[in-house]
Amino acid sequence: MENKKENIEENDNNKKSNINQEEEAQNLKIDNRKNDFAEIISLEPSSKYDITFKAIIIGNCGVGKTCITNMAIKQKFDELHRSTIGLEYWTMFIKINYKIIKLQIWDTCGQEIYRSLISNYYKNASLAIIVYAVNNRESFQDIDFWLKELKTMSSPDIKLILLGNKIDLINERVIDYKEGEEIAKYYGFHYFLETSAKTGENIKDIFIKAVKLLYEDYLKYKKMYSEKNPKNPNLNTFLEINRKKKEQNKCC
């Protein structure tokens, strides 16, 4: 009788496992459809959402980092905005098809005296947006510095976006589009765009592109996880283990 009972329980467990795998496969099939609909939406920070990603915005002081985020979230440009002291935290919600993504944005100051403080916030970031101003050669040259900071402090699989801001200052431009595009290709940025925090040009687009990129990466890991863990352990644990493995293999 005991053997019979054990066989029944084992069969039940196998059925449940098969059902879970079928449901997971169906979810992946749905998630992998073309993500051609995405928009920034207004929600309260405490609202329900499906996935959270952490982003940091870095670059020299005065390149317009806070103004970029302010324009994306509030559609507002502040002419009298003062430089960020330390850090500012923003929350953005982007809907991709039926999924709501919460983007936690850490807006950092570019002043040297705060750099040791803000570098601690690079950890666990999924996305880094490096900003330079097209009217400021020094901010463009310092892209290399910010990338070295990221290499030291952030995850090795962090996604990188380069923005050349202040293109509304046509008569003051010293960095042309081709220069920005070439350095983005050289360093392997995932996206490069020129923006204007004042007019809003390309501001919403870059955040939508960024979240799509992160979501596609999430789906890739989700598929990998479901194949390696058919009994459905925690996905976050799998991602954390994968991240630590990459950090251990990262060249010093």
Side-chain angles (χ1 to χ4, degrees):
M1 288 292 292
E2 289 182 1
N3 289 336
K4 187 175 182 180
K5 184 178 179 181
E6 288 176 359
N7 289 334
I8 292 171
E9 288 178 351
E10 185 177 352
N11 289 333
D12 288 342
N13 288 333
N14 288 334
K15 286 180 181 179
K16 289 178 181 178
S17 178
N18 290 334
I19 290 171
N20 287 335
Q21 289 183 53
E22 288 175 4
E23 288 178 350
E24 183 66 21
Q26 184 63 25
N27 288 336
L28 286 172
K29 186 177 180 181
I30 293 170
D31 281 344
N32 279 322
R33 64 186 177 182
K34 187 179 179 183
N35 299 320
D36 56 353
F37 175 78
E39 62 176 343
I40 298 173
I41 59 175
S42 297
L43 289 176
E44 293 297 323
S46 58
S47 300
K48 291 183 179 181
Y49 50 88
D50 297 292
I51 309 166
T52 303
F53 296 118
K54 176 183 175 183
I56 54 171
I57 301 184
I58 56 180
N60 287 20
C61 184
V63 296
K65 300 182 296 294
T66 301
C67 291
I68 286 171
T69 312
N70 199 33
M71 175 58 76
I73 296 174
K74 300 180 180 179
Q75 292 80 54
K76 181 180 178 182
F77 177 75
D78 185 1
E79 290 274 6
L80 302 177
H81 175 76
R82 295 181 180 180
S83 296
T84 300
I85 298 176
L87 291 154
E88 288 190 27
Y89 174 77
W90 305 74
T91 299
M92 177 185 290
F93 292 95
I94 294 180
K95 188 174 183 180
I96 301 179
N97 291 329
Y98 69 105
K99 294 288 187 181
I100 296 178
I101 315 296
K102 179 180 180 180
L103 188 63
Q104 298 174 332
I105 304 171
W106 293 92
D107 174 19
T108 67
C109 67
Q111 296 173 345
E112 189 172 350
I113 59 172
Y114 296 108
R115 286 179 183 173
S116 60
L117 169 67
I118 64 175
S119 61
N120 292 324
Y121 288 85
Y122 294 177
K123 295 177 181 178
N124 301 321
S126 302
L127 170 73
I129 299 175
I130 298 181
V131 184
Y132 68 91
V134 298
N135 66 332
N136 186 325
R137 173 65 62 176
E138 183 180 353
S139 70
F140 184 75
Q141 293 171 337
D142 282 347
I143 291 171
D144 180 68
F145 166 80
W146 294 109
L147 284 170
K148 287 177 180 177
E149 286 271 290
L150 285 171
K151 184 178 179 181
T152 303
M153 303 300 296
S154 68
S155 170
D157 57 354
I158 191 170
K159 305 304 178 189
L160 299 173
I161 289 177
L162 181 64
L163 296 186
N165 193 38
K166 301 191 178 183
I167 56 173
D168 52 281
L169 301 177
I170 299 172
N171 297 327
E172 299 178 28
R173 180 192 276 265
V174 293
I175 311 295
D176 62 25
Y177 182 88
K178 188 175 180 180
E179 273 190 279
E181 187 178 44
E182 286 177 350
I183 201 169
K185 287 181 179 178
Y186 177 79
Y187 284 116
F189 282 87
H190 294 86
Y191 284 115
F192 165 67
L193 277 180
E194 288 192 333
T195 59
S196 170
K198 186 172 184 178
T199 66
E201 185 173 349
N202 285 333
I203 297 297
K204 284 187 176 183
D205 286 349
I206 196 58
F207 284 100
I208 289 174
K209 284 178 180 291
V211 171
K212 278 188 173 183
L213 181 68
L214 295 174
Y215 184 55
E216 288 167 5
D217 201 50
Y218 168 83
L219 291 179
K220 180 186 73 174
Y221 281 114
K222 186 177 180 181
K223 183 178 180 181
M224 189 188 305
Y225 143 81
S226 66
E227 291 172 350
K228 291 186 176 182
N229 302 275
K231 293 186 179 180
N232 202 29
N234 189 281
L235 173 59
N236 291 329
T237 301
F238 173 77
L239 293 175
E240 181 65 17
I241 291 172
N242 189 71
R243 183 185 67 79
K244 286 181 178 179
K245 284 181 180 179
K246 287 188 176 181
E247 286 185 346
Q248 289 172 358
N249 295 329
K250 185 170 65 171
C251 177
C252 297

